[in-house]
Amino acid sequence: MPSDTRILIVDDHEDTLYALESALAPLGYQLGRATSGDEALKQVLRGQVGLLLLDVRMPGVSGLEVVRYMRRVEQTQHIPVILLTGFGADHELTTTAFGLGVADLVLKPVDPWALRTKVRYLYDAHRRHLALEREVNHLRALVGEHTGTAPHSRPGLPHPDARVPTQRPMGAHAGELEKDRT
């Protein structure tokens, strides 16, 4: 991840932006801010965002709409997102958010210590994932040079949050699966 990658904080209230910046400042990461969903999408698409703290309810483009768009675009689909809401726990919101792959849903006012812990973990995990992906691509290129073949355009590593389908039915043993095939 480039050194100029930052954590983007998105909220339509200036006082909330200031409070979140103050809570995250001790981490030492670069912080950016946006006051609307449109502005957040523009910054995310520029490729300089490594984690997004995003208010759910904003005028214009909502936080959920931003996440829906990000998940459809290859370059932004794995950026971790923490949604923030000041309207309390809502089953429909929770179901939709986690269905879109949001890392967490945090209620305002936020606990600064808990937020720093979550942000540090998600941001660092995302940075490690991207570094591994770059290394895998580099090694594939070296193997291609060594064998004289062009490197395959295989995708990089799966994102740690990716849902992996089970390899065999629960409780089934290898011998039982062989019986089913015959």
Side-chain angles (χ1 to χ4, degrees):
M1 185 176 308
S3 60
D4 60 347
T5 302
R6 66 192 179 285
I7 296 168
L8 182 62
I9 304 168
V10 186
D11 199 292
D12 56 322
H13 296 290
E14 189 68 31
D15 56 338
T16 304
L17 287 171
Y18 179 76
L20 292 169
E21 287 172 335
S22 296
L24 297 177
L27 294 176
Y29 299 135
Q30 287 187 347
L31 303 175
R33 59 168 40 204
T35 57
S36 70
D38 285 332
E39 187 181 344
L41 280 173
K42 288 176 187 173
Q43 289 190 43
V44 166
L45 290 172
R46 286 186 196 120
Q48 303 299 313
V49 176
L51 183 130
L52 193 63
L53 270 86
L54 182 62
D55 187 24
V56 173
R57 292 190 175 104
M58 293 182 290
V61 178
S62 74
L64 287 174
E65 290 170 319
V66 169
V67 176
R68 279 189 190 99
Y69 185 82
M70 286 174 59
R71 296 308 184 230
R72 291 192 307 251
V73 177
E74 186 177 346
Q75 76 186 54
T76 63
Q77 64 187 346
H78 296 303
I79 295 172
V81 176
I82 297 175
L83 280 179
L84 305 166
T85 183
F87 292 97
D90 174 331
H91 178 70
E92 184 178 331
L93 170 63
T94 303
T95 302
T96 302
F98 288 118
L100 290 170
V102 167
D104 203 356
L105 180 63
V106 175
L107 299 177
K108 295 179 197 174
V110 300
D111 173 0
W113 184 86
L115 183 65
R116 282 191 294 270
T117 301
K118 291 174 187 192
V119 165
R120 182 183 306 116
Y121 171 79
L122 290 169
Y123 187 71
D124 290 347
H126 185 65
R127 287 175 41 182
R128 285 190 304 272
H129 171 77
L130 292 178
L132 284 171
E133 197 169 67
R134 282 192 302 272
E135 182 68 16
V136 165
N137 290 335
H138 174 72
L139 291 172
R140 284 182 180 149
L142 289 175
V143 167
E145 289 174 11
H146 181 70
T147 61
T149 60
H152 296 82
S153 59
R154 296 188 330 205
L157 296 172
H159 193 270
D161 293 337
R163 296 188 176 136
V164 179
T166 57
Q167 299 300 313
R168 65 176 85 159
M170 294 296 281
H173 298 286
E176 292 173 332
L177 292 175
E178 289 299 318
K179 288 181 205 171
D180 292 342
R181 290 187 197 162
T182 58

